[in-house]
Amino acid sequence: MSRLAGISLIALGIACWPGNMAYRALYGMVTFSTLAMLYLAYVGLIGVVGILLWPAVAVHGGLSILLVRARRKEQKLPAPGT
């Protein structure tokens, strides 16, 4: 649990980094979800397996993919009024 808390602090640092970029929160969410997925997969591969471990890996992987797709879709949309 403490490693997931560390991962969340890294993601929070990315989301709150100073600047005027509107997508910092999205980058923080992608960072957390991806790192959590990788860590949980690592824990599962070394042999610590619970009943909800692999579903949690799948949920974090799916969430990461959906967040990246949303960002790409947002980039392709034309600006309003152009």
Side-chain angles (χ1 to χ4, degrees):
M1 288 304 291
S2 63
R3 291 189 185 185
L4 285 175
I7 290 171
S8 67
L9 286 175
I10 292 170
L12 182 64
I14 291 172
C16 296
W17 196 266
N20 59 358
M21 193 169 185
Y23 292 103
R24 292 260 189 237
L26 178 70
Y27 293 154
M29 289 188 291
V30 170
T31 301
F32 174 76
S33 189
T34 303
L35 290 177
M37 175 195 64
L38 292 173
Y39 174 69
L40 291 173
Y42 168 74
V43 168
L45 291 176
I46 63 169
V48 181
V49 178
I51 192 167
L52 292 177
L53 178 68
W54 292 111
V57 172
V59 166
H60 280 287
L63 182 61
S64 295
I65 291 169
L66 289 174
L67 288 168
V68 169
R69 285 182 62 196
R71 173 68 174 130
R72 287 187 180 169
K73 183 179 178 182
E74 194 69 28
Q75 284 178 339
K76 290 180 183 178
L77 291 176
T82 59

